[in-house]
Amino acid sequence: MASPSALATEPFEILRFHPKDAESQGYMHLLLKLADQSELDRHNRQFLRRTSRKIQVYHSHTGPDLLDEGYFSVGWHQTYLSGPHRFTFGSGNLKTNGPTVDILLTPPQDQLGERVAETHLVLELHPMSGAWMVRPLADVGVGCEEYVAGHLTCLSEAETTFTIKNLVYVAEFMVKTTDHERRYMEIRNRALQACGDEYDFLRMETRFSAIPFKADPSLDIAIPHRGLGSGAHGMVFSAFDPKTGELRAVKRLEVKNIWAARAIEKEVGALKMFADQWGIVQTYGFRNRSGGGDISTTYPEDFYIVMENGISFKELAFYSFNDNDPTIRWQWRAWLTMNLLVGLEAVHLRGAMHRDINWRNILYFHGFNGRRPRAVLADFGKFIPSASSSEENIGNRHFLPPEIKTGEGKTYTQVIDVWMLAYALIQTFWPKLRELNLPPYIGPNWHNIMEELHASEPDGQPLKTILWAMFMPSPEKRATATEAIKRSEFRYYFDDDDWDYINSRRYRGGGPSGCAGTN
């Protein structure tokens, strides 16, 4: 069992399970009596709580009666058979020495035990989002849905009704304020240190509780909760899928007028155009306030884009993800660079431009369960389906290339995206270069960056040569995305299997993601 000292020194309650029908209330009354008489295992007793109220019910075993009111309480300060990330409900097994479930639903040897399985369901933390997941080991009702054994679902509301063989309970989250939520995550992350590598991402990288609050907006495909940042038309929230518990991001856009609607239509169109394209953020759906997928024609209105949730490159720059082995470190950087170039190439081959690439709009995803890490381009708010433009109001001046100068109105082309991508990668991979903190084309600053780049870490010379070609101040001399992908220096990092994988994901026309072809 997990030691209480490893979790919280003071009681910290996460969930309550309230009996809600006469039968479950009757069993709670009997469990409380057994606890009073010390006839219940100490492990099972720790989850029982008695209120000061009496309730009158008709129970099939006791008839009409005034019963003690009680509930089950789950917190970080308690011990669990499987650790703080997982606890079990059921009838238990009297033939073993010691408890076999955490929460005993029926008194030992009760006839209901023939219907309630020894371990009837498991409640466990999702290893990526931190959402509490229900894993039935026998048939269970959750809310309005019936789930058979093995079907995993999520506690996605502040209060959720459970039905276990006609016993009715309401699960209530007790984390209800932002301060309490912050404390919850601190203790959770500390507790998960004892739970193995499976929970490393949740413990180390996710500052998200996945605890649903009553005030949270509710979509059928995501529960947005914690704000991540804001943009020209709205905000981005961390979220989780209400059924699978998987981590999501929700971009809430304010449709104030027809001009805002048209701008949002461009972004939505771009995300749909590049659905399933490697190197570009993937979406799970679009919703208006009424639950439909179209942008409303009445204003003001909110529109939601639900997409995958990663770590921005700005955050990544402050994490120690780089392996101590310089070869591995540079392979990792080259792999992420290739991810992004393949995504950018797809945009450019469709005759379009992103126009707002910076380290805030690039997302990183860990490789888990044998998967490779990856990086994607996100935030297509400045996207245009054109290969050239003269519009200057397209992003933070600090991230714009030399050919875009305020007031000149000169035409620029797709290679602005290549320059911005190179700058974002340089900022992320070489922290010292961030200290220069000026647009690189002002005075000698571009040369300072290049000198620092070449002086640092000789093992990375092949990738630095590629970035140099992408970062040239002259657009005429700058590499295109396709030219950068074909640079021979990448052969230093990738073997034939890597190239087969990369080429299978490059855009070749004929559809939104067009993945056929070879280099």
Side-chain angles (χ1 to χ4, degrees):
M1 296 181 192
S3 168
S5 62
L7 309 182
T9 54
E10 75 280 2
F12 192 99
E13 193 173 33
I14 305 168
L15 282 158
R16 288 182 184 179
F17 296 88
H18 303 276
K20 284 298 178 182
D21 70 307
E23 200 158 20
S24 62
Q25 289 168 339
Y27 282 118
M28 174 59 70
H29 174 79
L30 294 176
L31 288 166
L32 290 169
K33 286 179 63 176
L34 290 172
D36 290 343
Q37 297 162 7
S38 297
E39 295 181 15
L40 206 61
D41 186 274
R42 180 179 179 181
H43 179 76
N44 299 129
R45 289 203 308 268
Q46 69 176 324
F47 299 103
L48 290 169
R49 297 290 183 274
R50 176 187 276 105
T51 73
S52 58
R53 295 176 55 199
K54 297 282 186 179
I55 51 176
Q56 186 170 15
V57 300
Y58 181 88
H59 188 258
S60 59
H61 290 256
T62 61
D65 203 357
L66 279 176
L67 304 180
D68 291 328
E69 183 184 60
Y71 56 89
F72 300 107
S73 175
V74 173
W76 290 125
H77 55 290
Q78 295 162 317
T79 59
Y80 301 90
L81 295 175
S82 302
H85 60 302
R86 182 179 294 115
F87 54 95
T88 55
F89 294 72
S91 64
N93 186 344
L94 290 176
K95 296 180 182 179
T96 62
N97 294 323
T100 57
V101 294
D102 295 308
I103 294 178
L104 200 60
L105 295 172
T106 66
Q109 298 180 322
D110 190 90
Q111 64 180 18
L112 189 65
E114 298 176 3
R115 292 189 284 141
V116 175
E118 176 185 328
T119 304
H120 204 99
L121 67 87
V122 177
L123 216 57
E124 61 189 21
L125 279 173
H126 191 289
M128 300 294 284
S129 69
W132 283 101
M133 307 297 296
V134 179
R135 185 186 297 277
L137 304 180
D139 294 356
V140 169
V142 182
C144 299
E145 303 289 336
E146 293 290 330
Y147 295 97
V148 298
H151 187 108
L152 201 65
T153 190
C154 180
L155 285 184
S156 59
E157 298 181 9
E159 296 183 5
T160 303
T161 300
F162 278 86
T163 306
I164 302 172
K165 294 298 182 184
N166 298 322
L167 301 179
V168 182
Y169 299 89
V170 170
E172 177 189 11
F173 280 103
M174 301 308 295
V175 181
K176 299 177 184 290
T177 67
T178 53
D179 286 343
H180 202 197
E181 180 185 34
R182 191 177 302 112
R183 178 65 175 149
Y184 166 87
M185 288 188 289
E186 289 173 359
I187 300 173
R188 177 197 69 186
N189 294 353
R190 204 164 63 238
L192 291 177
Q193 292 178 4
C195 296
D197 296 343
E198 180 186 7
Y199 285 88
D200 278 354
F201 178 85
L202 179 60
R203 179 172 59 84
M204 296 170 60
E205 317 305 344
T206 303
R207 293 174 297 283
F208 182 56
S209 73
I211 297 289
F213 284 19
K214 286 186 176 180
D216 290 340
S218 181
L219 306 174
D220 63 321
I221 53 175
I223 307 296
H225 179 58
R226 178 180 177 271
L228 291 173
S230 59
H233 295 290
M235 290 192 65
V236 178
F237 298 85
S238 277
F240 62 98
D241 186 287
K243 294 189 180 296
T244 67
E246 293 177 357
L247 198 61
R248 298 285 186 260
V250 174
K251 189 172 185 178
R252 186 185 69 194
L253 300 166
E254 298 178 64
V255 190
K256 298 178 181 179
N257 49 48
I258 191 172
W259 308 112
R262 288 176 179 173
I264 293 167
E265 284 172 356
K266 285 184 180 180
E267 181 171 5
V268 171
L271 292 170
K272 290 180 177 179
M273 180 186 297
F274 299 109
D276 301 322
Q277 172 60 52
W278 201 55
I280 293 179
V281 68
Q282 296 303 293
T283 57
Y284 299 97
F286 307 89
R287 292 292 184 271
N288 56 38
R289 195 180 296 171
S290 302
D294 298 323
I295 300 172
S296 175
T297 56
T298 59
Y299 315 114
E301 177 65 281
D302 287 338
F303 188 75
Y304 300 89
I305 300 173
V306 180
M307 53 195 168
E308 55 188 346
N309 189 335
I311 300 170
S312 77
F313 264 40
K314 184 176 181 181
E315 292 180 90
L316 186 67
F318 296 96
Y319 282 79
S320 299
F321 287 142
N322 295 347
D323 195 281
N324 289 329
D325 182 337
T327 302
I328 300 296
R329 181 165 63 245
W330 282 99
Q331 286 177 339
W332 176 81
R333 291 173 175 176
W335 182 255
L336 298 184
T337 301
M338 180 60 77
N339 281 207
L340 296 164
L341 281 170
V342 169
L344 185 58
E345 180 188 46
V347 173
H348 289 177
L349 290 177
R350 292 296 292 258
M353 289 189 283
H354 185 290
R355 303 195 306 168
D356 194 17
I357 297 174
N358 60 67
W359 64 349
R360 296 184 182 91
N361 293 339
I362 300 174
L363 302 179
Y364 170 78
F365 297 87
H366 286 279
F368 284 95
N369 301 321
R371 296 178 182 177
R372 299 169 185 255
R374 61 191 180 92
V376 300
L377 300 174
D379 197 341
F380 281 72
K382 298 296 183 179
F383 171 90
I384 57 169
S386 173
S388 63
S389 177
S390 58
E391 181 187 358
E392 295 175 349
N393 184 26
I394 60 172
N396 189 313
R397 292 291 305 161
H398 183 59
F399 301 111
L400 297 181
E403 61 262 37
I404 302 178
K405 296 182 179 179
T406 304
E408 294 190 3
K410 290 184 177 179
T411 298
Y412 52 83
T413 65
Q414 292 172 324
V415 290
I416 68 163
D417 287 339
V418 178
W419 189 95
M420 288 190 280
L421 175 57
Y423 189 27
L425 294 170
I426 290 168
Q427 282 185 300
T428 305
F429 296 157
W430 290 276
K432 287 184 179 180
L433 300 180
R434 293 195 300 272
E435 298 171 5
L436 298 174
N437 202 33
L438 287 171
Y441 54 86
I442 293 180
N445 208 46
W446 184 85
H447 298 286
N448 292 343
I449 286 180
M450 290 297 99
E451 288 176 11
E452 179 67 33
L453 189 62
H454 274 278
S456 64
E457 301 185 86
D459 293 315
Q461 190 58 46
L463 180 58
K464 289 189 286 187
T465 301
I466 296 167
L467 292 175
W468 183 290
M470 296 168 59
F471 199 54
M472 293 296 289
S474 168
E476 291 79 15
K477 296 180 180 179
R478 194 177 305 150
T480 66
T482 299
E483 289 168 349
I485 289 171
K486 293 182 177 181
R487 296 279 305 199
S488 61
E489 290 86 356
F490 271 125
R491 295 284 175 182
Y492 182 81
Y493 302 107
F494 307 144
D495 60 23
D496 289 342
D497 289 341
D498 291 329
W499 279 110
D500 288 342
Y501 188 92
I502 292 163
N503 285 322
S504 70
R505 282 151 179 79
R506 290 177 67 187
Y507 176 76
R508 295 301 181 189
S513 57
C515 294
T518 57
N519 194 17

